[in-house]
Amino acid sequence: MKKTAFVTGANKGIGIEIVKQLSEAGWKVVLGARSAERGEAAVFELTSKGLDVEYVQIDMSDLKTIEQAADTLNKNYPDLKLLINNAGMPGAFSRSFTDTKEEDLRNAFEVNFFGTVRLNQYLFPLIKDNEGTIVNVSTDMASLDHMQNAEFTLNAFDYNSSKTANNAMTLSMAYEVKNSSAQVFAVTPGFTSTDLNGNAAGGKSKEAAAAIIVGYATDGKRHNGEFLDEKGVYSW
């Protein structure tokens, strides 16, 4: 019997690669995307290759669509075993604390933190009951240790702080399931060239980034409460 996964922000970039790689590994994957047109086009692209992929609309800044998506998943996919919270937005990708505008900070938090909190709270009971896994996709720059000690980093306070808050959520969720077979952890794929950063040169490919996330999500090991990069445990 196939295991079922749900991936957010999955119509392009790292997200669609995660869906593709999971499906190629034998999973049924529900692809979550804000735009119905783009989401359905992505599903068509993947199903035309023989992959088992279905679409559920979800906008991480819209509480109503999050509720509707969660309701659909709870009703139609009661065997849901894996949730990968990949959807994210950069705010304005500010270059300093001083340059950060409150509006951009709020926009980044709405998707990267509050929207993800809402979805996790709706699906957490189902994942726990199914002894499944939740992966919150993070970034190196969410690490306070990294921000304090790196020789150079992007000081994008709007984006970084929203992901640091996401990391705090990961630990709170992990604490709640520490005595169960369910698990929650965070993964940073590292610098990847995607639309989020304007496809900046020098990053790893979307395929390689997705492989890091999928690898940890499906390796069968206990990662509860960990923050992981391609080399292993990463400092919070």
Side-chain angles (χ1 to χ4, degrees), residues 22-38:
L22 282 172
S23 188
E24 288 174 342
W27 288 70
K28 170 187 279 293
V29 187
V30 183
L31 182 155
R34 179 177 56 184
S35 164
E37 181 181 357
R38 292 175 183 174

Side-chain angles (χ1 to χ4, degrees), residues 154-190:
L154 182 61
N155 190 22
F157 180 60
D158 42 9
Y159 177 68
N160 297 359
S161 61
S162 68
K163 286 293 195 176
T164 303
N166 193 296
N167 279 1
M169 171 181 61
T170 299
L171 285 174
S172 181
M173 295 171 71
Y175 184 85
E176 198 164 320
V177 295
K178 66 179 181 177
N179 296 318
S180 76
S181 295
Q183 61 176 343
V184 184
F185 57 92
V187 178
T188 170

Side-chain angles (χ1 to χ4, degrees), residues 3-236:
K3 292 179 284 189
T4 302
F6 179 50
V7 183
T8 64
N11 65 285
K12 63 179 181 177
I14 295 174
I16 195 169
E17 285 298 326
I18 292 172
V19 173
K20 182 173 178 284
Q21 291 177 26
L22 282 172
S23 188
E24 288 174 342
W27 288 70
K28 170 187 279 293
V29 187
V30 183
L31 182 155
R34 179 177 56 184
S35 164
E37 181 181 357
R38 292 175 183 174
E40 289 167 356
V43 168
F44 179 79
E45 175 189 337
L46 296 171
T47 55
S48 66
K49 298 175 181 176
L51 301 177
D52 190 358
V53 181
E54 298 177 10
Y55 171 66
V56 168
Q57 185 176 24
I58 185 167
D59 180 344
M60 300 304 293
S61 65
D62 184 333
L63 177 58
K64 185 177 180 181
T65 74
I66 294 172
E67 289 177 337
Q68 289 173 338
D71 186 58
T72 297
L73 289 159
N74 275 293
K75 287 180 179 177
N76 297 345
Y77 305 94
D79 59 342
L80 186 69
K81 190 83 171 177
L82 173 62
L83 167 62
I84 298 184
N85 287 302
N86 169 72
M89 67 93 70
F93 237 40
S94 58
R95 292 288 171 169
S96 70
F97 171 80
T98 307
D99 292 336
T100 301
K101 296 186 172 105
E102 182 177 332
E103 178 184 3
D104 296 324
L105 193 63
R106 289 182 181 277
N107 288 340
F109 265 81
E110 189 61 37
V111 172
N112 298 340
F113 181 65
F114 289 111
T116 309
V117 167
R118 293 170 191 139
L119 181 62
N120 278 333
Q121 287 188 329
Y122 286 130
L123 295 181
F124 202 25
L126 179 61
I127 297 288
K128 285 192 289 185
D129 287 347
N130 290 339
E131 299 182 341
T133 296
I134 295 177
V135 178
N136 293 321
V137 177
S138 191
T139 173
D140 302 13
M141 300 174 297
S143 164
L144 299 180
D145 179 82
H146 170 84
M147 291 302 296
Q148 184 176 34
N149 297 307
E151 271 188 43
F152 170 80
T153 191
L154 182 61
N155 190 22
F157 180 60
D158 42 9
Y159 177 68
N160 297 359
S161 61
S162 68
K163 286 293 195 176
T164 303
N166 193 296
N167 279 1
M169 171 181 61
T170 299
L171 285 174
S172 181
M173 295 171 71
Y175 184 85
E176 198 164 320
V177 295
K178 66 179 181 177
N179 296 318
S180 76
S181 295
Q183 61 176 343
V184 184
F185 57 92
V187 178
T188 170
F191 175 36
T192 305
S193 298
T194 68
D195 287 354
L196 186 140
N197 56 32
N199 290 293
K204 62 172 59 70
S205 70
K206 301 170 185 69
E207 295 84 354
I212 295 167
I213 297 165
V214 171
Y216 284 122
T218 62
D219 66 8
K221 297 179 182 177
R222 183 72 173 168
H223 296 298
N224 191 54
E226 293 181 343
F227 186 13
L228 300 155
D229 71 356
E230 60 187 323
K231 296 178 181 177
V233 175
Y234 196 73
S235 296
W236 291 105

